Amino acid sequence: MDRKVRVRFAPSPTGPLHIGGVRTALYNYLFAKQHDGDLILRIEDTDSNRFVPGAEEYIQESFRWLGIRFDEGVGIGGPHGPYRQSERRDIYKKYVRQLLDAGKAYVAFDTPTELEAKRQEIPNFQYDASTRMQMVNSLTLPPEEVERRIAAGEKYVVRIKIEPNEDVHVHDLVRGEVVINSSIVDDKVLYKSADELPTYHLANVVDDYLMEISHVIRGEEWLPSAPLHVLLYRALGWEDVMPQFAHLPLLLKPDGNGKLSKRDGDRLGFPVFPLEWHDPKTGDVSSGYRESGYFPEAVINFLALLGWHAGSNQEIYSLDELVREFSLDRVSKSGAKFDFEKGKWFNHQYLKAKPDSEVADLFQSVLVQKGIIEDSERVTHVVGLVKDRVNFVPELWNECSFFFKAPTEFDEKSLKKRWKAESPAQMEELMQLIASMDDFSGVHAEPEIMAWIERKGYGVGIVMNAFRICLVGAARGPHIFEITDFIGKEETLNRMRYALEHISM
Ligand code: GLU
């Protein structure tokens, strides 16, 4: 059947979006764009106990930052709205009724205490064909009694009636054919009268149907729900338009032992959330990729390759290239180890490839925080000299602070190794030479100072090391005459004077 590709990302607003969820959304996006299809953002908030304020806004802000655009959904609108499940109550009721009338579902009144008692009585209790006739439900009570209880306002749930001993086939585009026997699927709750809301399973299937979803691409943790969803499609008579499934591999801890969790991020010092998250209940703050200085393009590139490979050695992909190259065929079945160092490497590559002026614009905000106001052309020049050395924009400060701010301290190790007995006298002499120069531009100062060193028979290394310590405060930084050229003659002399006054060996 030739169907328009329509996929959805369907998060539950139970907290910040995990980076694995971002990857799921990304793969849905790539798949949709590649097929000229639509990507829908649906908020699955039928479990009011787990609702966390701010989570939905967080999700939307994350995708804005990453540049993943939805075609329909919460915050965008579209012909299949509303896209927030809590606003679709009345829609689901109709399908609950349909399942009840067709005998594919039934009403159950078992209280939590009664259920607990059964669990105690029957080892590995499961509410299913083997036990349902011992329970308090519309299959065991006379119809009038069911009516009476409902009319009296007694709380009930609606459960799906799973026929036992049947092989359920899930055709998964990543995993191939997955076969599960219906006997291990329990009579899941589809609807709760207490809040008049369906549970995840029913709402998810009904919405996928109504929103004309062609492919369900989601995390592996939902694979166990797939047989139930297939059975629900069948029970509702929608088998012909059942979406194709693709369950994505888990993101694993860096050592490959188990699922990547928030705690791994805290323990090993990397973010597992796209944006910083302030927990409204505990006040805890979790770090985010954005606040840690990542470029959204780098995060996208990094995530795209966690679970998918292009079949070549290429590693750097723009979003457009990913749209062209992506294919579910090359999504791996096994979990993807979360290699955080690789994430940094990606950011480094993107930083290196960006024009100096663009990086300089970003670096300006760091400078402003340090109280430094500097012309953008000059900042661009400095950024060009040092940007290959860092992974993140804020790290530039460490590499080039001395262009903008005189050192006030001198690194002990550098002094011990490179500040010689003759250094103070040589620096005094060099100051006189510099003071006498009319043209102190780098191209002019460099040969003049070199010629002076040679005339005097000084060691080039000894003079240059001491000079660098005066200007930088340590034995590091780019070519020294780039620095003198940038800070100018007066500042060079001031720094040398200060160094001579403060270095005591
Ligand atoms: N609401 C589910 C989640 O939070 C959606 C799973 C699915 O995509 O079917 O991930």
Side-chain angles (χ1 to χ4, degrees), residues 423-437 440 445 448-450 452-453 456 458 463-464 466-468 470-471 480-481 484 492-493 496 500:
S423 294
Q426 288 181 343
M427 289 301 106
E428 292 282 0
E429 233 184 288
L430 179 56
M431 280 176 72
Q432 280 174 27
L433 174 71
I434 292 172
S436 73
M437 289 184 191
F440 190 60
E448 201 161 317
I449 290 175
M450 288 307 179
W452 163 75
I453 294 174
K456 290 289 188 164
Y458 294 155
V463 174
M464 284 304 158
F467 193 25
R468 181 176 291 279
C470 291
L471 303 183
I480 193 101
F481 294 101
T484 57
T492 300
L493 290 171
M496 294 177 84
L500 288 171

Side-chain angles (χ1 to χ4, degrees), residues 355-368:
D356 295 345
S357 58
E358 204 177 302
V359 179
D361 283 349
L362 297 168
F363 185 47
Q364 281 285 11
S365 67
V366 178
L367 290 177
V368 168

Side-chain angles (χ1 to χ4, degrees), residues 8 10-12 44 200 204 216 218 222:
R8 82 302 192 271
S12 299
E44 302 210 321
Y200 155 73
N204 187 269
V216 166
R218 61 185 171 191
W222 301 100

Side-chain angles (χ1 to χ4, degrees), residues 43-193:
I43 297 289
E44 302 210 321
D45 58 348
T46 55
D47 187 350
S48 46
N49 296 326
R50 297 183 61 216
F51 177 82
V52 173
E56 185 186 309
E57 292 73 12
Y58 177 96
I59 290 165
Q60 301 213 42
E61 175 70 16
S62 299
F63 292 121
R64 257 196 302 278
W65 177 63
L66 287 162
I68 292 181
R69 308 263 175 264
F70 292 85
D71 302 291
E72 276 173 42
V74 165
I76 303 138
H80 297 79
Y83 292 91
R84 209 177 271 118
Q85 290 186 329
S86 58
E87 293 167 17
R88 297 170 65 80
R89 263 169 228 267
D90 294 337
I91 298 174
Y92 306 119
K93 280 188 188 153
K94 176 175 156 199
Y95 299 102
V96 174
R97 190 72 268 150
Q98 183 185 324
L99 288 166
L100 286 170
D101 290 348
K104 310 275 188 194
Y106 58 94
V107 170
F109 298 98
D110 316 88
T111 62
T113 330
E114 284 165 346
L115 286 168
E116 190 44 46
K118 273 287 170 209
R119 273 188 215 110
Q120 297 296 332
E121 183 191 323
I122 305 175
N124 302 324
F125 170 78
Q126 180 168 280
Y127 208 125
D128 62 15
S130 69
T131 56
R132 63 169 82 106
M133 297 314 284
Q134 308 167 33
M135 308 300 290
V136 192
N137 55 43
S138 56
L139 304 172
T140 56
L141 297 170
E144 317 79 65
E145 172 66 4
V146 174
E147 290 304 323
R148 190 195 61 74
R149 286 184 182 229
I150 293 177
E154 203 171 301
K155 303 251 185 304
Y156 65 91
V157 298
V158 174
R159 290 181 179 271
I160 186 168
K161 192 173 165 208
I162 302 279
E163 299 304 336
N165 282 324
E166 185 200 336
D167 280 342
V168 184
H169 294 252
V170 179
H171 307 277
D172 189 287
L173 294 170
V174 174
R175 272 143 230 283
E177 181 100 342
V178 180
V179 186
I180 286 175
N181 193 276
S182 65
S183 294
I184 65 164
V185 184
D186 61 335
D187 288 357
K188 279 264 174 337
V189 172
L190 301 178
Y191 177 85
K192 291 180 186 157
S193 72

Side-chain angles (χ1 to χ4, degrees), residues 297-313:
E297 312 92 282
V299 175
I300 296 247
N301 198 153
F302 173 45
L303 288 179
L305 293 174
L306 281 175
W308 169 81
H309 67 94
S312 75
N313 289 334

Side-chain angles (χ1 to χ4, degrees), residues 18 31 33 67-68 81 178 218 255 268 305 319 367 416 481:
H18 187 273
F31 188 77
K33 293 302 121 192
I68 292 181
V178 180
R218 61 185 171 191
D255 64 9
L268 301 166
L305 293 174
L319 195 54
L367 290 177
K416 219 176 247 160
F481 294 101

